[in-house]
Amino acid sequence: MKKKSLLLVLCALLILSVTVNAFEFIGGAYYTIFNSEDIDDMNDLIKQFNLNLETIEKIAEEDDIPIDITKSKELKGSFGFYAGGLLPVTEKFKIGGYYERFNLKTEGGYHLPIVNEGVKYKLQIPVNGVVGTVKINLTDYLAINGAIGYYFGEMTAEVRVYEFGSDLINQRSKEELNGIGYKFGADINYPVNENINIFGGADYRILSVGPKDEDVPKEDKLNLDGYVIRGGISYSF
């Protein structure tokens, strides 16, 4: 119930910030560097998977068997984007909302063309956020901000094992995720003119997501904490 109420408030902020006459559009892209033991554990599994691929490749090469290898990329970071608006409350204080999205993705496997045998797997975690934010302009060039958001997405894992072109294993699992996240950080603004600002910023995001509509302890949720490096543009109407 609390999550639904928060989502309604955040959606109202987002809609209001982009529909009134005096507002500031904001949008841009960012890169998240994860600071999470859960992501570290995933990366340990990815490293082991890649070591197994190297062993399979070595054996195939020793026997002069053609093989195609695709190593999995570690989930060290993720690109994302955001768009929304800000409302001026005072000359230096603004409130607003924005939508953001980032995606964790990795895949890998091997294929033996001669016998049409191999293993493929894919992991994907797209995350969407509806975020309410406050921004305080300390000077024309420096601002601090804080935010709270409702985040939702899903974790999808696919595994396929095949031999002579026939599937031995072909499984796909999907779990919906949601959670409340927080951010705090700072912006450096460069006013191009009275309407347009170019800015760069850094935030720290605190976020854990778990199965939708289930009361899961925080320690059992997927932790996606991390440092966010972002850039963008704002336009004041």
Side-chain angles (χ1 to χ4, degrees), residues 117-189:
E117 173 187 319
V119 173
K120 293 182 180 180
Y121 97 97
K122 180 178 180 181
L123 174 67
Q124 187 164 245
I125 310 172
V127 179
N128 308 277
V130 180
V131 182
T133 185
V134 296
K135 181 177 181 179
I136 302 172
N137 292 318
L138 302 179
T139 70
D140 289 341
Y141 301 96
L142 180 64
I144 57 175
N145 61 77
I148 180 173
Y150 174 77
Y151 290 83
F152 56 97
E154 60 188 28
M155 179 187 295
T156 303
E158 301 177 30
V159 179
R160 183 187 176 211
V161 180
Y162 57 96
E163 188 176 78
F164 301 112
S166 299
D167 290 342
L168 302 178
I169 299 174
N170 194 347
Q171 295 180 342
R172 185 177 188 270
S173 62
K174 184 171 82 169
E175 184 173 45
E176 294 187 0
L177 305 171
N178 70 359
I180 306 299
Y182 308 89
K183 283 185 188 177
F184 54 90
D187 294 347
I188 296 176
N189 304 307

Side-chain angles (χ1 to χ4, degrees), residues 46-174:
I46 289 172
K47 289 175 184 176
Q48 185 59 55
F49 181 80
N50 286 338
L51 286 174
N52 293 340
L53 288 179
E54 290 176 3
T55 300
I56 294 170
E57 182 179 33
K58 185 177 180 180
I59 293 172
E61 289 176 348
E62 288 175 351
D63 294 336
D64 291 326
I65 300 174
I67 186 171
D68 299 320
I69 294 288
T70 303
K71 289 187 177 181
S72 300
K73 294 181 180 179
E74 293 182 37
L75 303 171
K76 293 182 178 180
S78 174
F79 285 99
F81 70 89
Y82 62 98
L86 293 171
L87 294 172
V89 178
T90 67
E91 185 179 348
K92 295 185 178 295
F93 183 75
K94 299 177 182 180
I95 63 172
Y98 58 87
Y99 166 80
E100 70 167 307
R101 178 181 173 88
F102 63 93
N103 188 18
L104 293 83
K105 181 180 177 180
T106 189
E107 57 186 319
Y110 74 90
H111 174 66
L112 296 169
I114 291 179
V115 291
N116 198 9
E117 173 187 319
V119 173
K120 293 182 180 180
Y121 97 97
K122 180 178 180 181
L123 174 67
Q124 187 164 245
I125 310 172
V127 179
N128 308 277
V130 180
V131 182
T133 185
V134 296
K135 181 177 181 179
I136 302 172
N137 292 318
L138 302 179
T139 70
D140 289 341
Y141 301 96
L142 180 64
I144 57 175
N145 61 77
I148 180 173
Y150 174 77
Y151 290 83
F152 56 97
E154 60 188 28
M155 179 187 295
T156 303
E158 301 177 30
V159 179
R160 183 187 176 211
V161 180
Y162 57 96
E163 188 176 78
F164 301 112
S166 299
D167 290 342
L168 302 178
I169 299 174
N170 194 347
Q171 295 180 342
R172 185 177 188 270
S173 62
K174 184 171 82 169

